[in-house]
Every structure is written in structure tokens, then in C-alpha cells.
Amino acid sequence: IGLDGGLWGALAGAFFALCGALRLARFNVTHVVGPFQGLPIPAAGLSLVAFVLAGVPLPLWAAAALLLGLGGLMISQVPYGNLKKLHRGNLNRHRAAFLAGSLLLLAVLLKEKAPLALGGIYVASGLVRLDWGTWLALRPELEDEEDPLEDEA
């Protein structure tokens, strides 16, 4: 928002930063196994930066709303999927190839706007409860088990 945002811009920026601090504090106090609880700070920050990289001009009210929305998602209970427990023995290679091809196509077609689309997809995936690790797993129930390949080594 910059200095042009005035008091409301400063408040929206402070709210975003405060939500990041609260998220870090909650992470230090509670440990939840499974998906992330709330939007991860790097995803929120990269979603903001993607607007700058894409060259998308935002009116002050829209930039403030974006800061407030992403900040609120950081401290929410919305589950955001991760790939922490996914391993090569439980990877659905067809879905992984489809995802990699889709990301490549997105990068080629959208060029500098691709990070904006990727950030939007990840933010929306939590809201619709899409767990990327479960979607990419051959058998989602194996996500909680030990990696069978590690026992052989």
C-alpha cells in the first residue's frame, strides 16, 4: 500500500504483520499433526508479492482488503495441505505428472502472472479443503505410517 495508503493502509499492513506474529506464536505453543492450521506465512507473503511481480495495480481499498483477508487466513482454523508425509513409495505418478504439466503450462501461458495464479490456487485450496498430499498419494492412509523404503536402508 505504501505511504499513499494513509492511516487505513498502515492499519492494514500492521494487521497483516500482527497476524503473522500470532501465527508464529500459535505454532510455538500448539503442534497439530496433518495439514497446516491457517495459511502459512510464506504463502501469504508470496501471494502479496505476486501482485507486484505480475504488475497488477491495486486500488488502495483492494490492497487493504487483500492484507486483511490474507492476515485473517493466517490465524484461521482453515486447513492448508502440505506434502510433508508424501514419499516416493506412495506417490501417484499420474497425478504428479498432471500437476507438473499443469504448472508448466500455467508458467508458459501466464508468464509473469503465473505466481499470482499459483498463489490464488493455493489460497483457494484451503478454503475448499483440498489437501495436496492426500490428492497426490496412492493410498492416503499411508501418509501417517513410516516410509517403508527407510526401513530397508
Side-chain angles (χ1 to χ4, degrees), residues 20-32 37 41:
L22 288 172
R23 178 173 167 67
L24 283 174
R26 180 177 66 187
F27 181 75
N28 283 333
V29 174
T30 61
H31 178 68
V32 178
Q37 190 177 34
I41 296 169

Side-chain angles (χ1 to χ4, degrees), residues 4 6-7 17-20 26 33 42 46 48 52 76 80 82 94-95 97 99 102 108 111 128 143:
D4 297 336
L7 177 64
L18 180 62
C19 288
R26 180 177 66 187
V33 177
L46 290 172
L48 285 175
V52 176
S76 72
Y80 279 88
N82 61 54
H94 296 291
R95 286 186 176 179
L99 183 59
S102 298
V108 168
K111 296 179 179 46
V128 298
E143 284 188 3

Side-chain angles (χ1 to χ4, degrees), residues 8 11-13 15-16 19 61-74:
W8 292 109
L11 288 174
F15 176 78
F16 182 83
C19 288
W61 65 268
L66 186 64
L67 284 167
L68 294 173
L70 290 173
L73 283 173
M74 282 194 285

Side-chain angles (χ1 to χ4, degrees), residues 48-100:
L48 285 175
V49 169
F51 280 91
V52 176
L53 293 175
V56 175
L58 288 175
L60 294 176
W61 65 268
L66 186 64
L67 284 167
L68 294 173
L70 290 173
L73 283 173
M74 282 194 285
I75 58 172
S76 72
Q77 300 293 320
V78 175
Y80 279 88
N82 61 54
L83 306 177
K84 288 181 180 179
K85 294 184 180 178
L86 194 64
H87 53 82
R88 68 176 178 258
N90 191 27
L91 177 66
N92 185 324
R93 295 183 194 280
H94 296 291
R95 286 186 176 179
F98 172 77
L99 183 59

